[in-house]
Amino acid sequence: MAKILELRDLCVSYGAIDALKSVNISVEEGSIVALLGANGAGKTTTLRTISGVVKAKSGQVLLKDEPITNRVPYKIASLGVIQSPEGRLILNGLTVEENLKVGAYGLKGQAIRVKKPDGSYETVKMSKSQLIKYNFDKVYKLFPILQERKKQQANTLSGGEQQMLAIGRALMASPKVLLLDEPSLGLAPLVVRDIFDIIVTINKAGITVLLIEQNANMALKTANLGYVMETGRITLHGSGEELLANEAVKAAYLGT
């Protein structure tokens, strides 16, 4: 598979503190890639730098071999790189439906690949309004509970439902690359399992996923490829299976 996202020698500093130190990550189109590490390792900084929220000191972020380093966030989002942030950041005071509409704010009419009933695909040109309706249908099919509660105030949802809303809001932007920052944080084990099932479903629909996750066991079982970050550096990478079997990873992240 071709690379869709690549970080080359990416460095980020907060004043005198080097947060990222020559980080190299490669994400193949159609894959799930997990980024593991302890709190403070630089994982969230990595996603925020990809999104343009944090500026790189040096190095490159490439989308399909085209540099997008330090572009403003809305321009990066318009290229299909969409982040679902840590902590969900649900917009209180808005309904579920209104939160989802916010995710579609920057959409433009475009041609998209649509799956036909026979399983084949066709390219269909849609206006912005048609695309928003199409994305609403996809999100509600993926998260039926959000459709049931679309007129409900978003802050009254459970933690798991709010995480579904955060992911759904990101999907409303028609991502090509979905950046997920701690999607299972604070959720009950059964809900965590549901969230990871949803991530797999999203990926099977053709969306590439770069995932930060404290639950290393679930992340590596789901991911095609994993990277381990320590104090701003990538110290280890390999397939999900390889990292699950790695003794250092077991000791540091799997509790075995």
Side-chain angles (χ1 to χ4, degrees), residues 3-20:
K3 286 180 289 189
I4 188 169
L5 182 69
E6 187 178 9
L7 310 185
R8 291 184 187 169
D9 295 321
L10 193 66
C11 297
V12 172
S13 296
Y14 297 123
I17 299 172
D18 293 328
L20 298 183

Side-chain angles (χ1 to χ4, degrees), residues 11-48:
C11 297
V12 172
S13 296
Y14 297 123
I17 299 172
D18 293 328
L20 298 183
K21 307 162 189 173
S22 296
V23 169
N24 291 279
I25 291 175
S26 182
V27 180
E28 291 188 345
E29 190 166 12
S31 68
I32 299 175
V33 173
L35 180 59
L36 309 179
N39 288 334
K43 306 183 304 299
T44 293
T45 294
T46 301
L47 292 199
R48 288 178 177 173

Side-chain angles (χ1 to χ4, degrees), residues 2 29 51 57 85 94 96 130 141 178 192 199 222-223 236:
E29 190 166 12
S51 299
K57 180 180 179 181
L94 298 183
V96 168
Q130 288 172 326
K141 184 176 181 181
L178 180 61
V192 171
I199 291 170
T222 304
L236 195 63

